Amino acid sequence: MGLLSGKVALVTGATRGIGRAIATKYASEGADVAFTYLSSASAADELVGELSAMGVKAVGYRSDASSYEEAHALVKEVQGAFGKIDILVHNAGITRDTLLMRMTEEMWDAVITTNLKSAFNITHAVAPVMARQRGGSIVYMSSVVGIGGNVGQANYAASKAGLIALSKSVAKEFGARGVRANCIAPGFIQTDMTAVLSEEIRASFIEGISLRRAGTPEDVAGVALFLGSDLSGYVTGQTIACCGGMRG
Ligand code: NAP
């Protein structure tokens, strides 16, 4: 018996990085896993194979998180195929980094739509399902940048701060139905998203981390396991930083 045996999880953006590690961790703890991607169809097929080999049900869906219609259609499909949704991890996200004065309207809109409006889209579809079930756990992938801001990431920081406020509101609106909502705020995690940073920026980040190392997707998956499982049954409206102790 795993910590998530008998549960169904939906993870957005799971073909790489943090989302993939969460899908894998959840499956290893016995959850059936539905997940989404945008363009990486072959990585999605590969992941379905890996998760199925662990003895759970796994299906990958191409679904653009920024589309309200696609989010609602996705949740209908997942419900049809899996029967219920116990855990939602809204992880899909992008960056379009530059200084504010160089930021175009397109860069602002792309990040806010993919990272924040997407959370409204999927929550609007999933929360009523969980409310009818009288239980569920929603986990949003925020960022330490959504707490402290960052040079060159005004759009991204605003989107991630929005997720924190959204989670607190969802926790208050749906708590009476047994639905919990929390955020994870990762720090500097080694994925494709951060692979674009120069060695110099990387070194300066690590200098400011108490544990003196970048985080791994598996580090974040451990927190997602806690928040998705009944171990966190009395935790809602909270943001857990997973950042190795980033200093100020
Ligand atoms: P990543 O390696 O770039 O992976 C992003 C994932 O999101 C991919 O599976 C991608 O699918 C999917 N995705 C992107 N746009 C999508 C859309 N419109 N619809 C559906 N799926 C979409 O990112 P990561 O580093 O693992 O980050 C995952 C989450 O953690 C993000 O929300 C990010 O902001 C947050 N985070 C990351 C860090 C870090 O240091 N890495 C720190 C704090 C927070 P495709 O492969 O199909 O494109």
Side-chain angles (χ1 to χ4, degrees):
M1 284 289 281
L3 279 172
L4 303 180
S5 292
K7 292 195 190 285
V8 173
L10 169 58
V11 184
T12 67
T15 45
R16 304 181 260 130
I18 293 170
R20 188 179 183 117
I22 292 171
T24 306
K25 174 69 83 184
Y26 278 11
S28 75
E29 290 292 339
D32 289 332
V33 178
F35 69 88
T36 71
Y37 63 96
L38 183 60
S39 53
S40 309
S42 60
D45 287 345
E46 194 184 289
L47 183 60
V48 167
E50 279 177 29
L51 302 183
S52 305
M54 294 174 171
V56 301
K57 178 171 172 159
V59 182
Y61 298 87
R62 195 210 159 274
S63 179
D64 184 348
S66 64
S67 161
Y68 180 87
E69 288 74 23
E70 288 189 29
H72 281 75
L74 166 75
V75 169
K76 255 197 194 141
E77 274 197 65
V78 172
Q79 259 193 296
F82 289 79
K84 60 176 186 164
I85 302 174
D86 301 298
I87 308 165
L88 165 67
V89 180
H90 181 49
N91 165 79
I94 59 167
T95 50
R96 295 284 184 275
D97 296 351
T98 194
L99 295 172
L100 183 82
M101 293 315 294
R102 291 192 193 139
M103 193 171 285
T104 63
E105 186 183 8
E106 189 278 330
M107 293 166 93
W108 175 269
D109 286 347
V111 169
I112 297 295
T113 306
T114 301
N115 296 4
L116 181 57
K117 178 170 178 281
S118 60
F120 166 72
N121 298 339
I122 194 84
T123 305
H124 195 267
V126 165
V129 174
M130 290 181 169
R132 275 196 298 278
Q133 291 169 187
R134 296 270 163 187
S137 174
I138 300 176
V139 181
Y140 299 101
M141 202 54 67
S142 180
S143 166
V144 290
V145 162
I147 300 167
N150 199 20
V151 172
Q153 292 199 304
N155 49 359
Y156 184 77
S159 73
K160 296 300 186 180
L163 291 178
I164 293 173
L166 173 68
S167 69
K168 289 180 186 298
S169 305
V170 171
K172 287 180 176 169
E173 283 195 28
F174 289 89
R177 302 290 189 94
V179 180
R180 301 183 292 109
N182 294 287
C183 281
I184 302 174
F188 180 55
I189 311 297
Q190 270 172 314
T191 67
D192 290 353
M193 190 177 269
T194 48
V196 294
L197 300 175
S198 70
E199 197 45 50
E200 196 187 351
I201 292 179
R202 203 186 133 71
S204 79
F205 265 125
I206 289 173
E207 182 60 30
I209 296 172
S210 300
L211 293 178
R212 293 292 196 282
R213 68 168 177 88
T216 64
E218 290 70 28
D219 289 325
V220 183
V223 182
L225 173 60
F226 170 68
L227 288 176
S229 78
D230 297 339
L231 288 177
S232 59
Y234 201 52
V235 179
T236 194
Q238 305 303 308
T239 296
I240 300 181
C242 179
C243 64
M246 268 189 166
R247 292 169 293 152

